[in-house]
């Protein structure tokens, strides 16, 4: 156990809170110790489970002056399901040595100017919709909550409060940083590489259409004012009340579409971290998404960009994959048509998690931090079954779970019943039902001697 690397996914619902312990990879004041990482701390909905996870984590960390020493806090991107638990009070008993986050979160970054305007306009529109107190579907409510004021507080804590509390400066990471620039001073037993996002956020993830997209949406923010302010302004003189309501409805639809597109950009600027340790390669991808193919000077997706620019790192197998975006259909590259055709996306999956030759058992491992809710594509059952063909740590949940628990799973008939009889990667939602624990562990053995 002392020689194994630990990946622990806390069961927090739809969210990532992942602890990584790299054995004997930290040297401080001449003492060799383990290196401790927390990758993201968020979830959708109530944050209660995040507090439980952090309290448990503190007990796992070595103590320095009465606080748990966390060698690295890495935040992949700024959606609530990855940052909701970033509350300075909750980290009061943790001494953070390094804070990393995506360069897209840096509000002073000149190559993310349009991206930040994109975010601000989407946030304004969603908050104005929230202020109207409308009854929304769960899907639309989720989009609105993505831009809540609490999200701003978590980002502010990352950029200012936690660095001040710990006497450090945050590092905004991107693919242009070499491993030597990504080596924390005490890291001695592993190599960190970032293969996404690229430094020029606007060029790679918005492309040459960025400015026109922003201009095309700007009119919507004027119509979608909070109800009280709209009443104060009165109706336009050249439009009837019914036509004005229809106009607002169209604008609202446009606003939601705009916010969804902005959400894609945030996902695609996730930090894609590759850890190399004693002959093993571990890939943590946040919510990075994929598309059909990389296109020069166009809006691109994270996986395609990394494949185009960092194929030397991606075109070989990994020993562990943190399955992206809670098992979403669009965050692990694959042939989603499932027709056997070879695509850029399926080529990426075949490279990082190749199908084993006949009779040879796969050796790679994976985990997905997920929970079945109202989403049709989170997790995507067919994707999980496909990934399971390529990894060793799988489970057939239809036989592992008792019948009463199976029948009580959310949306069991629509999204689970047909697929739980096939092997799937370890899932936090189902493992927590099986074990009663609030986390799932994956152990990685070294391939080479120290």
């Amino acid at each position: 156990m002392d020689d194994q690397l630990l990946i622990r996914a806390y069961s927090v619902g739809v969210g990532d809170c992942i602890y990584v312990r790299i054995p004997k990879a930290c040297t401080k004041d001449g003492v060799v110790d383990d290196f401790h990482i927390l990758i993201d701390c968020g979830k959708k909905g109530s944050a209660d489970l995040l507090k439980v996870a952090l309290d448990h984590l503190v007990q796992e960390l070595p103590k320095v002056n009465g606080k748990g020493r966390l060698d690295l806090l890495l935040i992949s991107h700024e959606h609530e399901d990855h940052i909701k638990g970033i509350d300075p009070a909750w980290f009061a008993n943790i001494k953070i040595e390094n804070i990393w986050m995506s360069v897209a979160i840096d509000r002073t970054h000149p190559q993310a100017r349009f991206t930040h305007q994109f975010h601000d306009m989407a946030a304004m529109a969603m908050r104005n919709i929230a202020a109207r107190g409308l009854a929304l579907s769960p899907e639309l409510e989720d989009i609105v909550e993505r831009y809540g004021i609490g999200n701003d507080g978590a980002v502010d804590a990352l950029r200012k409060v936690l660095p001040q509390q710990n006497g450090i400066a945050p590092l905004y990471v991107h693919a242009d940083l070499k491993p030597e620039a990504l080596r924390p001073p005490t890291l001695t037993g592993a190599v960190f590489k970032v293969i996404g996002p690229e430094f020029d956020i606007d060029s790679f993830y918005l492309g040459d259409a960025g400015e026109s997209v922003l201009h095309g949406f700007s009119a919507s923010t004027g119509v979608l004012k909070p109800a009280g302010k709209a009443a104060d302004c009165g109706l336009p003189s050249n439009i009837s009340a019914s036509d004005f309501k229809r106009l607002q409805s169209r604008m609202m639809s446009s606003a939601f579409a705009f916010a969804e597109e902005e959400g894609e950009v945030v996902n695609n600027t996730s930090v894609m971290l590759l850890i190399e340790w004693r002959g093993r390669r571990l890939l943590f991808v946040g919510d990075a998404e994929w598309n059909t193919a990389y296109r020069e000077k166009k809006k691109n997706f994270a996986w395609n960009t990394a494949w185009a620019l960092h194929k030397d790192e991606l075109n070989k197998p990994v020993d562990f994959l943190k399955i992206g975006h809670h098992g979403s259909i669009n965050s692990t590259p694959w042939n989603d048509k499932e027709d056997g055709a070879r695509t850029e996306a399926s080529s990426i999956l075949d490279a990082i998690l190749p199908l084993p030759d006949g009779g040879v058992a796969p050796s790679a491992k994976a985990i997905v931090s997920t929970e079945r809710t109202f989403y049709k594509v989170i997790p995507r059952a067919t994707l999980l079954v496909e990934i399971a063909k390529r990894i060793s740590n799988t489970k057939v949940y239809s036989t592992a779970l008792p019948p009463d628990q199976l029948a009580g799973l959310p949306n069991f008939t629509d999204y689970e019943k047909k697929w739980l009889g096939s092997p799937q990667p370890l899932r936090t939602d189902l493992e927590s039902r099986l074990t009663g624990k609030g986390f799932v562990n994956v152990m990685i053995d070294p391939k080479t001697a120290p």
Side-chain angles (χ1 to χ4, degrees), residues 28-206:
K28 188 170 185 178
D29 300 326
V31 177
V32 177
D33 198 357
D34 299 339
F35 195 91
H36 303 267
I37 310 170
L38 179 63
I39 301 177
D40 291 331
C41 185
K43 72 180 296 291
K44 294 183 182 296
S46 169
D48 293 347
L49 289 175
L50 293 169
K51 182 63 165 63
V52 173
L54 286 174
D55 289 345
H56 185 272
L57 174 63
V58 170
Q59 305 308 312
E60 301 289 293
L61 299 175
K63 298 302 183 286
V64 177
N65 298 323
K67 293 186 176 184
R69 189 197 80 227
L70 182 64
D71 297 297
L72 173 61
L73 172 62
L74 169 62
I75 299 300
S76 63
H77 63 296
E78 59 177 289
H79 279 159
E80 68 168 349
D81 50 332
H82 294 259
I83 66 170
K84 189 160 193 165
I86 304 299
D87 183 333
W90 290 3
F91 282 81
N93 293 322
I94 298 177
K95 174 64 174 73
I96 305 172
E97 300 287 335
N98 299 273
I99 297 176
W100 292 4
M101 60 194 114
S102 169
V103 70
I105 302 178
D106 181 5
R107 280 294 174 135
T108 67
H109 184 40
Q111 278 75 42
R113 182 168 61 93
F114 287 132
T115 299
H116 292 149
Q117 290 178 17
F118 201 178
H119 175 81
D120 291 345
M121 291 175 68
M124 180 189 302
M126 292 302 100
R127 290 173 186 177
N128 286 347
I129 288 173
R132 298 177 66 82
L134 302 173
L136 300 172
S137 69
E139 292 88 348
L140 296 182
E141 190 68 40
D142 177 63
I143 298 173
V144 171
E145 289 177 356
R146 190 186 299 161
Y147 297 92
I149 297 296
N151 221 48
D152 290 350
V155 173
D156 188 64
L158 284 168
R159 291 195 296 234
K160 299 176 184 177
V161 183
L162 287 178
Q164 290 171 358
Q165 285 183 356
N166 292 277
I168 57 178
L171 179 65
Y172 297 99
V173 300
H174 51 85
D176 287 355
L177 292 174
K178 304 299 182 186
E180 51 269 28
L182 292 166
R183 188 180 70 82
T186 60
L187 180 69
T188 54
V191 174
F192 295 163
K193 297 178 179 179
V194 170
I195 58 174
E198 295 302 311
F199 183 74
D200 192 342
I201 298 294
D202 287 340
S203 293
F204 282 99
Y205 306 105
L206 279 180

Side-chain angles (χ1 to χ4, degrees), residues 101-424:
M101 60 194 114
S102 169
V103 70
I105 302 178
D106 181 5
R107 280 294 174 135
T108 67
H109 184 40
Q111 278 75 42
R113 182 168 61 93
F114 287 132
T115 299
H116 292 149
Q117 290 178 17
F118 201 178
H119 175 81
D120 291 345
M121 291 175 68
M124 180 189 302
M126 292 302 100
R127 290 173 186 177
N128 286 347
I129 288 173
R132 298 177 66 82
L134 302 173
L136 300 172
S137 69
E139 292 88 348
L140 296 182
E141 190 68 40
D142 177 63
I143 298 173
V144 171
E145 289 177 356
R146 190 186 299 161
Y147 297 92
I149 297 296
N151 221 48
D152 290 350
V155 173
D156 188 64
L158 284 168
R159 291 195 296 234
K160 299 176 184 177
V161 183
L162 287 178
Q164 290 171 358
Q165 285 183 356
N166 292 277
I168 57 178
L171 179 65
Y172 297 99
V173 300
H174 51 85
D176 287 355
L177 292 174
K178 304 299 182 186
E180 51 269 28
L182 292 166
R183 188 180 70 82
T186 60
L187 180 69
T188 54
V191 174
F192 295 163
K193 297 178 179 179
V194 170
I195 58 174
E198 295 302 311
F199 183 74
D200 192 342
I201 298 294
D202 287 340
S203 293
F204 282 99
Y205 306 105
L206 279 180
D208 53 14
E211 188 170 6
S212 62
V213 169
L214 295 177
H215 284 257
F217 177 73
S218 59
S220 297
T221 58
V223 175
L224 295 173
K225 293 178 179 178
K229 293 182 180 178
D232 293 340
C233 296
L235 293 175
S237 58
N238 61 342
I239 190 172
S240 69
S242 59
D243 285 344
F244 184 69
K245 287 182 179 180
R246 282 192 288 270
L247 174 62
Q248 283 190 311
S249 178
R250 288 197 297 271
M251 290 296 189
M252 195 176 299
S253 296
S254 174
F256 279 118
F258 183 83
E260 277 289 82
E261 187 170 358
E262 193 274 335
E264 283 184 352
V265 174
V266 175
N267 284 342
N268 283 307
T269 54
S270 291
V271 177
M272 300 177 72
L273 174 68
L274 180 66
I275 298 177
E276 295 180 342
W277 168 77
R278 296 183 60 181
R280 300 298 186 188
R281 289 161 35 88
L282 302 93
L283 185 57
F284 300 84
V285 297
D287 285 355
E289 298 184 10
W290 62 271
N291 203 343
T292 53
Y294 177 80
R295 301 174 302 158
E296 194 77 28
K297 297 183 180 180
K298 300 296 181 182
K299 175 187 173 184
N300 279 294
F301 286 60
W303 280 101
N304 305 92
T305 302
W307 185 249
L309 302 180
H310 307 288
K311 189 174 288 188
D312 56 330
E313 298 293 353
L314 276 184
N315 199 20
K316 49 191 172 184
V318 300
D319 298 285
F320 170 83
L321 174 68
K322 196 289 293 190
I323 297 171
H325 206 177
H326 325 298
S328 171
I329 187 174
N330 62 357
S331 289
T332 301
W334 68 310
N335 175 8
D336 61 330
K337 302 293 189 297
E338 302 174 56
D339 58 5
R342 190 167 184 83
T343 63
E344 179 171 290
S346 68
S347 296
I348 298 173
L349 183 60
D350 287 340
I352 62 171
L353 290 177
L355 280 167
D357 295 331
V360 178
S363 60
K365 297 182 179 181
I367 198 167
V368 58
S369 179
T370 192
E371 182 177 55
R372 173 67 69 189
T373 56
F374 56 82
Y375 293 105
K376 296 179 180 179
V377 296
I378 298 179
R380 179 71 167 206
T382 49
L383 169 62
L384 295 186
V385 170
E386 177 61 35
I387 292 174
K389 299 174 184 176
R390 303 161 183 264
I391 61 174
S392 62
N393 61 330
T394 63
K395 193 164 290 183
V396 178
Y397 285 106
S398 65
T399 56
L401 286 165
D404 60 327
Q405 287 202 35
L406 282 172
L409 293 176
N411 295 304
F412 173 69
T413 302
D414 292 335
Y415 302 132
E416 299 288 8
K417 184 176 181 179
K418 182 178 179 181
W419 302 107
L420 289 186
S422 299
Q424 293 195 18

